[in-house]
Amino acid sequence: MEDVLAPDGRGLKHVAVREYVRSLVTGSAPGSPAPSERELVHQFGVARMTVRQAMDALVVEGLLERIPGRGTFVARPRRAASRITGYTEEMSRRGLLAESQTLLARREQAGPGVARALSLTEGDAVIHWRRLRRADGTPMCLEDAYLNEVLLPGFLQSGMPTSLYDALDGRGLRPTWAEDSITADRATPEEATLLEVDEGASVLRHSRRALAGDKVVEVSRTVYRADRFTLWVQLGHDV
Amino acid sequence: MEDVLAPDGRGLKHVAVREYVRSLVTGSAPGSPAPSERELVHQFGVARMTVRQAMDALVVEGLLERIPGRGTFVARPRRAASRITGYTEEMSRRGLLAESQTLLARREQAGPGVARALSLTEGDAVIHWRRLRRADGTPMCLEDAYLNEVLLPGFLQSGMPTSLYDALDGRGLRPTWAEDSITADRATPEEATLLEVDEGASVLRHSRRALAGDKVVEVSRTVYRADRFTLWVQLGHDV
DNA sequence: TAGTGGTCTAGACCACTAT
DNA sequence: TAGTGGTCTAGACCACTAG
């Protein structure tokens, strides 16, 4: 039989099968059976290899699980390391209202440390954004973020967003990789005043270098009130 | 042509092709070309679909990258969240000598918190292992680990290992998933004495719930000297 | 124009599971 | 025994890239 291709003219029958199966099984309980390969062959009038290509994708995705001799079934959802989140999303996840007060937002020349972290040259233009961040009205942390101005043209002029990560997302720069370091320390006098704690109170210092693909999009240093904040991290993944 | 199968009698030609290609490209620089599919068809005398099955596996693995119209090439290695490590491996990675002094290793009945964290019932038998851990001779942290005795029969009797994670590894219980929480605090008098710091010194408190598959294999609470230890975490992954 | 990967066919035999 | 997924064949046409 010649290759007439699908009615839509694009040779993507396996996509049609894949999305059909996906629509069938999303929402099904793990262990529910998916249609058998030969059943789909008859339904779609395609070759079995085409159906297998469709199912393979769903298996790789972790949606389906094949059991030889028995059939194909909805898989137990895989665990995966949590996506990289910023303060706003993290507080929202905890059921707290995130508010931020910008203390400083300006163009600066990168110092040696920031330049290295942002993969820039010393003296390059960076955006320095300092915020006092609250949760349900109480100071939670003080954050100094440094951004590569080249990646964010007009960022300072366009009015600062509430969520940096949402703003990055909108520019296709959502971080997919982050290198964090965390240590315990005591609040400096300035930090204590802003965070409304006693001088020398316990704080958690959190540094992040966040990348979107190859591009370093954010370097930040945040100091959290230890009496109000515990950092949660999930590590690893299934299979 | 009938299905004579490979010389070894097992119908796994795609494995032979896959491992041949893997051996060719491991060590090659990203961007190096892999053999073309039709080239492998001739070399192995197999059908193209068989070659594609082999290559598909390597693409999913992240070793190869297909570029339509150009060929198949060695992919840039994907970043992936670091594997879950214990103290011994972490110190070794930092070039420090890890030593441990067992302060306590005994069978206990799980209290409510430990029982819940280990997915056990209160009163079930657990192993409680407390260690003072040093790096290059200086106290670094104090760790209380709780283990499910049912998963580790004879663990206490077989002599305590240096590395818990190596011991778990040997029993097929290497953690693949961990839920950590981190906070800053001050050392209690007892902690200060053991860690050889002043009472009230800054410490990092790190709790972990580590799983191997569905099984909770370790629940631990560790207190680190903040003057000696910074926690490093990598998050996210490519694609 | 030659070569590449992308898609697809219409079968086949195998080992395994469930009835 | 019937049904399932696992493997495999020997072709085919397509869009795309590169020389």
Side-chain angles (χ1 to χ4, degrees):
Chain A
M1 185 189 293
E2 82 269 47
D3 218 347
V4 183
L5 301 188
D8 65 341
R10 288 177 287 110
L12 294 173
K13 301 188 181 182
H14 70 103
V15 173
V17 177
R18 194 222 303 147
E19 296 310 316
Y20 169 74
V21 174
R22 189 202 301 283
S23 71
L24 276 187
V25 303
T26 47
S28 303
S32 310
S36 80
E37 296 178 357
R38 286 162 180 86
E39 200 175 326
L40 290 165
V41 164
H42 291 128
Q43 276 186 43
F44 282 83
V46 298
R48 185 155 163 241
M49 288 304 294
T50 305
V51 169
R52 283 188 66 77
Q53 185 180 8
M55 304 290 266
D56 275 341
L58 297 174
V59 168
V60 166
E61 224 177 272
L63 188 63
L64 296 181
E65 181 186 12
R66 288 196 175 107
I67 305 183
R70 297 227 296 128
T72 304
F73 304 88
V74 178
R76 171 177 62 80
R78 290 186 202 164
R79 287 170 300 205
S82 50
R83 74 199 205 106
I84 293 154
T85 57
Y87 179 81
T88 309
E89 187 173 341
E90 184 59 30
M91 289 304 116
S92 155
R93 200 203 297 182
R94 300 182 186 200
L96 300 173
L97 174 65
E99 295 168 304
S100 289
Q101 176 185 350
T102 292
L103 304 180
L104 191 156
R106 67 179 181 204
R107 197 166 171 279
E108 293 182 358
Q109 292 189 303
V114 167
R116 190 169 50 250
L118 278 174
S119 300
L120 296 176
T121 302
E122 200 174 333
D124 281 353
V126 296
I127 297 166
H128 178 188
W129 190 10
R130 164 171 265 218
R131 286 180 286 180
L132 177 65
R133 318 200 71 165
R134 296 167 186 271
D136 282 354
T138 308
M140 180 70 106
C141 66
L142 186 63
E143 177 187 309
D144 283 286
Y146 297 87
L147 312 168
N148 184 344
E149 206 197 22
V150 175
L151 295 175
L152 297 165
F155 188 75
L156 281 171
Q157 287 70 45
S158 59
M160 306 311 273
T162 303
S163 164
L164 169 60
Y165 280 36
D166 281 352
L168 292 172
D169 215 352
R171 294 168 189 242
L173 294 173
R174 169 104 208 167
T176 55
W177 179 255
E179 298 161 358
D180 289 14
S181 73
I182 302 113
T183 187
D185 199 2
R186 296 180 181 219
T188 67
E190 186 200 359
E191 290 165 348
T193 303
L194 288 165
L195 292 173
E196 299 174 17
V197 294
D198 292 336
E199 188 178 329
S202 285
V203 294
L204 200 62
R205 295 194 186 279
H206 179 196
S207 296
R208 168 165 291 182
R209 183 166 180 260
L211 291 83
D214 291 336
K215 295 185 270 290
V216 184
V217 293
E218 177 210 6
V219 165
S220 62
R221 300 194 196 97
T222 306
V223 51
Y224 288 92
R225 281 176 58 165
D227 63 334
R228 296 258 300 161
F229 183 76
T230 294
L231 186 65
W232 296 332
V233 180
Q234 284 89 47
L235 298 169
H237 48 81
D238 283 352
V239 182
Chain B
M1 184 190 292
E2 82 269 50
D3 218 346
V4 183
L5 301 189
D8 64 341
R10 290 177 286 109
L12 295 173
K13 301 188 180 179
H14 70 104
V15 173
V17 176
R18 189 213 318 142
E19 295 311 316
Y20 169 74
V21 175
R22 190 202 303 282
S23 72
L24 276 186
V25 302
T26 47
S28 302
S32 310
S36 79
E37 297 178 354
R38 286 164 180 86
E39 200 175 325
L40 291 164
V41 164
H42 291 129
Q43 276 185 44
F44 282 84
V46 298
R48 183 152 164 244
M49 287 304 295
T50 305
V51 169
R52 281 188 66 78
Q53 185 180 7
M55 305 291 265
D56 276 340
L58 297 173
V59 169
V60 166
E61 229 178 88
L63 188 62
L64 297 182
E65 181 185 12
R66 289 196 175 110
I67 304 183
R70 297 227 297 130
T72 305
F73 304 88
V74 178
R76 170 178 62 80
R78 288 186 203 165
R79 286 169 301 202
S82 50
R83 72 196 204 108
I84 293 154
T85 56
Y87 179 82
T88 309
E89 187 173 340
E90 184 57 32
M91 289 304 117
S92 155
R93 199 202 298 182
R94 299 184 186 198
L96 301 172
L97 174 66
E99 295 167 304
S100 290
Q101 175 187 350
T102 292
L103 304 180
L104 191 156
R106 68 180 180 203
R107 199 166 169 279
E108 294 181 358
Q109 291 188 306
V114 168
R116 190 172 49 250
L118 279 174
S119 298
L120 295 176
T121 302
E122 200 174 334
D124 283 353
V126 296
I127 297 165
H128 178 186
W129 190 10
R130 164 172 266 217
R131 286 180 286 181
L132 178 66
R133 318 200 72 162
R134 295 168 187 272
D136 283 354
T138 308
M140 181 70 106
C141 67
L142 185 62
E143 175 186 312
D144 283 285
Y146 296 87
L147 313 168
N148 183 346
E149 206 197 21
V150 174
L151 295 175
L152 297 165
F155 187 76
L156 282 170
Q157 286 71 45
S158 59
M160 306 312 274
T162 303
S163 164
L164 168 60
Y165 279 37
D166 281 353
L168 292 173
D169 216 353
R171 295 169 188 240
L173 294 173
R174 170 103 207 167
T176 55
W177 178 256
E179 297 159 0
D180 289 15
S181 73
I182 302 113
T183 188
D185 199 4
R186 296 178 181 223
T188 66
E190 185 200 1
E191 290 165 349
T193 303
L194 289 164
L195 291 172
E196 299 175 16
V197 293
D198 293 336
E199 188 178 328
S202 284
V203 294
L204 200 63
R205 297 195 185 276
H206 179 197
S207 296
R208 169 165 288 182
R209 182 166 181 260
L211 291 84
D214 291 335
K215 295 186 269 290
V216 184
V217 293
E218 177 210 7
V219 165
S220 62
R221 299 193 195 99
T222 306
V223 50
Y224 288 91
R225 281 176 58 164
D227 63 334
R228 296 259 300 160
F229 183 76
T230 294
L231 186 65
W232 296 333
V233 180
Q234 285 89 46
L235 298 171
H237 50 81
D238 282 350
V239 180

